[in-house]
């Protein structure tokens, strides 16, 4: 049975500027990145992964400027478990060094051309190298962990814990997990190890947000997100979905929902990937209702058909009147617009309105409804 809240969670990590920018044809310039960071600070995100420092002078400038922003959270830099990468990253003094190494046999053999012993040795030496030259918080990402032998995952985690790693990041690199499996795996890791556990979830089967939440419910300390779910292929767990669910359903009031539409629309514009109007949490039409039954229910009590008040995310509910409307919805809308229609005329007006809506295949906005009623006089 899932736990009811995630109050012991230590944080949400935003990886828009690293994983998110890996989305094909997405490029953020320095000004855009700093604005995204500023908005993430307003939301209350606990850690921001800025990118990869190796051969990337922009990341060097970014970490310098980001650290000057008021209220800036921990800043992380990502690098492979290679001596040169670590040497190049540590002088930038990140708050978090996010090391990464593959642990699945398919990656070890077909990507690295190595074996499991090589992975163990490289992980040990990388942690020691970072520990000897830095006092920053150390995370070890287990790439493709969801396809790895669980016993080997345990072996790497045990080695990392002994060497002084602060966090293990369990990566569902190709998005094959489901929430039940994720819950079980994280529960097992939390039982066996005393270090922090984080998760990095991909959305190849549409499970990224659900898997991130399931991991947190199981006791994971951290979960990665990206704004609008940006990332490789189908993307990652969406910041706006995870944060909104945690605030409204899992007792995590520290995040500020009112900034979610702002940050989502800004990133959509900067990434040149338009948001669907039905995008969960931040889509402009998610509180637009046309069904007569639903409008009637919302008029009586918005909680009948809304999981939270739209004002909490700086939005407003809208009613469209059209083919699907009922008498109650039409009466309510006309009253709102200052129009009074006798009850014996309401049914005829609704019939004509429905007929025209069906012909046009659209519902009427307030102005369109006013014009329609005017023409009926």
């Amino acid at each position: 049975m899932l736990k009811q809240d995630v109050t012991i969670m230590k944080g949400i990590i935003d990886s828009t500027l690293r994983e998110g920018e890996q989305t094909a044809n997405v490029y953020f310039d320095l000004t855009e990145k700093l604005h995204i960071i500023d908005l993430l600070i307003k939301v209350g995100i606990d850690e921001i992964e800025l990118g990869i420092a190796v051969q990337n002078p922009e990341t060097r400038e970014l970490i310098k400027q980001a650290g000057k922003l008021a209220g800036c959270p921990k800043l992380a830099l990502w690098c492979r478990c290679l001596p040169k990468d670590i040497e190049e990253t540590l002088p930038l003094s990140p708050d978090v060094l996010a090391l990464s190494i593959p642990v699945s046999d398919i990656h070890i053999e077909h990507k690295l051309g190595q074996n499991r012993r090589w992975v163990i040795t490289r992980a040990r030496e990388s942690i020691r190298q970072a520990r000897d030259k830095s006092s920053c918080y150390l995370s070890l990402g287990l790439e493709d962990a969801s396809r790895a032998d669980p016993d080997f995952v345990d072996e790497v985690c045990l080695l990392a814990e002994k060497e002084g790693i602060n966090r293990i990041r369990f990566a569902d690199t190709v998005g094959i997990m489901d929430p039940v499996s994720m819950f079980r795996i994280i529960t097992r890791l939390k039982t066996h190890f005393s270090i922090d556990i984080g998760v990095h979830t991909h959305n190849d089967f549409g499970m990224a947000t659900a898997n991130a939440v399931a991991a947190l419910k199981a006791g994971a300390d951290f979960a990665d997100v990206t704004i609008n779910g940006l990332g490789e292929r189908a993307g990652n767990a969406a910041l706006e979905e995870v944060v909104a669910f945690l605030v409204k359903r899992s007792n995590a009031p520290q995040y500020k929902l009112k900034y979610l539409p702002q940050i989502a629309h800004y990133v959509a514009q900067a990434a040149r990937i338009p948001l669907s109007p039905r995008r969960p949490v931040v889509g402009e039409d998610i509180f637009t209702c046309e069904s007569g039954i639903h409008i009637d229910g919302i008029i009586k009590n918005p909680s009948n058909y809304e999981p939270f008040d739209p004002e909490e995310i700086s939005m407003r509910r809208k009613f469209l009147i059209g083919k699907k409307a009922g008498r109650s919805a039409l009466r309510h809308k006309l009253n709102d617009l200052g129009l009074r229609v006798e009850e014996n005329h309401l049914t005829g007006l609704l019939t004509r309105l429905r007929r025209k809506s069906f012909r046009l295949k659209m519902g009427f906005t307030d102005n369109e409804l006013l014009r329609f009623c005017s023409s009926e006089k």
Side-chain angles (χ1 to χ4, degrees), residues 78-151:
W78 185 97
C79 76
R80 297 170 295 179
C81 284
L82 296 177
K84 185 177 182 299
D85 286 19
I86 298 168
E87 284 292 333
E88 194 169 334
T89 304
L90 285 178
L92 301 181
S93 301
D95 300 304
V96 178
L97 178 62
L99 299 166
S100 180
I101 196 163
V103 291
S104 70
D105 289 333
I106 189 169
H107 273 218
I108 294 169
E109 295 171 16
H110 298 283
K111 175 182 169 181
L112 301 178
Q114 298 290 348
N115 56 41
R116 293 183 180 184
R117 287 303 97 201
W118 182 92
V119 170
I120 290 292
T121 300
R122 192 89 296 283
R124 178 188 294 112
E125 292 180 357
S126 296
I127 295 169
R128 289 180 179 179
Q129 180 184 0
R131 272 279 164 258
D132 287 345
K133 299 185 178 182
S134 171
S135 59
C136 69
Y137 181 97
L138 281 184
S139 173
L140 179 64
L142 308 183
E143 187 179 2
D144 207 25
S146 55
R147 291 194 293 180
D149 177 351
D151 289 338

Side-chain angles (χ1 to χ4, degrees), residues 19 107 142-147 170-177 200-204 232-233 235-236:
E19 174 76 45
H107 273 218
L142 308 183
E143 187 179 2
D144 207 25
S146 55
R147 291 194 293 180
F170 183 97
D172 182 21
T173 300
V174 292
I176 63 167
M177 297 291 289
H200 181 86
T201 61
H202 276 263
N203 206 39
D204 296 81
E232 295 280 1
R233 302 179 312 281
N236 293 70

